[in-house]
Amino acid sequence: MTKLAIMGAMEEEIEPLLAHFENVNVVEFANNKYYEVNYNGLEIVIAYSKIGKVFASLTAATMIEKFGCDTLLFSGVAGGINPELKIGDLIVADKLCQHDLDITAFGHPNGYVPGGKVFVETTKSLREIAIKVANENNLKVIEGTIATGDQFVHSTERKDFIQSTFNADALEMEGASVAVVCDALNVPFFILRAISDTADMDAGFDFDEFLKSSAKNSADYLIKIVKEL
Ligand SMILES: CCCCCCN(CO)Cc1c[nH]c2c(N)ncnc12
């Protein structure tokens, strides 16, 4: 029996998801709120972690270890790097990395620490369902690499570093930590983002303007995927 975790980082990212459900039970735990719903015979737990890799790791691990979720879907917004990605466009992560994890002083590559790996791959079977849903709904979606770091990127200098170092298509602040947690706990997971800005000097303004609409794009697509699970 699948128990599904649906996660975002910000309230604005899960609000459009919660809107689809009634009879929501709220569980308070570890300075956060976890929303339990039943949907199409599925038990679902929904939460937003708060921003950044640490909060995202705590929430992902909690949804799996405490709530017993056996599949995790993430929905949210991201900064676009790949010029094909326009504001509002959807990206499904096929792999994720941490662009601010750096022990290069010891000759290691960016994003690597001993015992870890630079890229963590998402679950192929979930990506395949997502692509099928996109085709059925005539949605333009790209699959690509998402780079995660504990900073809001708003300069072409940092954006270019991330692009050239990891060949990343988009960037955000939680995905790779969710990936490490799910990979370590052997839980299938899926990371979906809609572009809110292009991580350059206009990023802050674009983010404010497009957070809500892009979060809704991602949420609406995620709900269609949930219906196929
Ligand atoms: C109050 C401000 C909260 C910013 C949180 C942004 N999220 C983090 O996951 C996604 C994101 C959208 N655009 C970004 C960018 N340019 N850099 C980093 N992260 C992002």
Side-chain angles (χ1 to χ4, degrees):
M1 171 68 179
T2 292
K3 184 164 186 180
L4 190 58
I6 299 181
M7 192 180 151
M10 299 176 73
E11 183 158 22
E12 291 87 342
E13 292 171 326
I14 68 157
E15 188 273 325
L17 290 162
L18 283 171
H20 288 271
F21 304 109
E22 287 140 19
N23 308 321
V24 179
N25 177 49
V26 187
V27 176
E28 300 210 1
F29 178 75
N31 298 332
N32 207 352
K33 290 192 171 95
Y34 292 83
Y35 302 93
E36 296 178 315
V37 301
N38 282 296
Y39 183 75
N40 282 0
L42 267 181
E43 282 185 278
I44 304 179
V45 182
I46 302 168
Y48 71 92
S49 57
K50 298 184 281 293
I51 294 159
K53 291 192 283 178
V54 175
F55 282 126
S57 303
L58 172 60
T59 295
T62 296
M63 292 176 110
I64 296 165
E65 290 300 293
K66 179 176 173 61
F67 288 87
C69 294
D70 54 34
T71 304
L72 189 147
L73 311 180
F74 189 104
S75 177
V77 299
I81 300 174
N82 183 326
E84 243 193 271
L85 285 170
K86 305 296 178 219
I87 288 176
D89 284 355
L90 296 160
I91 177 168
V92 168
D94 55 16
K95 61 180 183 293
L96 300 102
C97 59
Q98 297 178 63
H99 65 72
D100 61 351
L101 187 57
D102 179 348
I103 53 166
T104 53
F106 301 91
H108 295 296
N110 280 286
Y112 175 82
V113 292
K117 47 191 181 183
V118 177
F119 294 102
V120 179
E121 289 191 16
T122 58
T123 305
K124 192 167 182 341
S125 58
L126 291 174
R127 288 203 310 271
E128 287 169 345
I129 294 169
I131 297 305
K132 174 174 157 284
V133 168
N135 294 337
E136 286 166 357
N137 291 273
N138 210 8
L139 290 171
K140 179 193 164 222
V141 173
I142 82 156
E143 283 187 85
T145 301
I146 291 182
T148 301
D150 280 323
Q151 56 194 239
F152 183 82
V153 176
H154 60 116
S155 76
T156 42
E157 184 222 359
R158 185 68 190 169
K159 176 181 172 181
D160 291 348
F161 163 78
I162 295 166
Q163 198 288 321
S164 58
T165 309
F166 301 98
N167 196 23
D169 296 291
L171 55 86
E172 31 86 311
M173 299 173 71
E174 297 84 22
S177 45
V178 172
V180 168
V181 168
C182 292
D183 188 52
L185 297 173
N186 212 16
V187 166
F189 71 104
F190 175 79
I191 308 279
L192 170 66
R193 295 277 186 166
I195 302 305
S196 54
D197 58 274
T198 48
D200 48 27
M201 61 188 286
D202 302 329
F205 302 108
D206 288 341
F207 178 82
D208 284 341
E209 187 177 348
F210 298 106
L211 166 61
K212 271 197 186 335
S213 55
S214 292
K216 187 167 179 353
N217 281 4
S218 181
D220 289 348
Y221 177 32
L222 195 86
I223 289 295
K224 290 185 173 78
I225 294 164
V226 170
K227 287 176 178 165
E228 296 287 314
L229 294 182

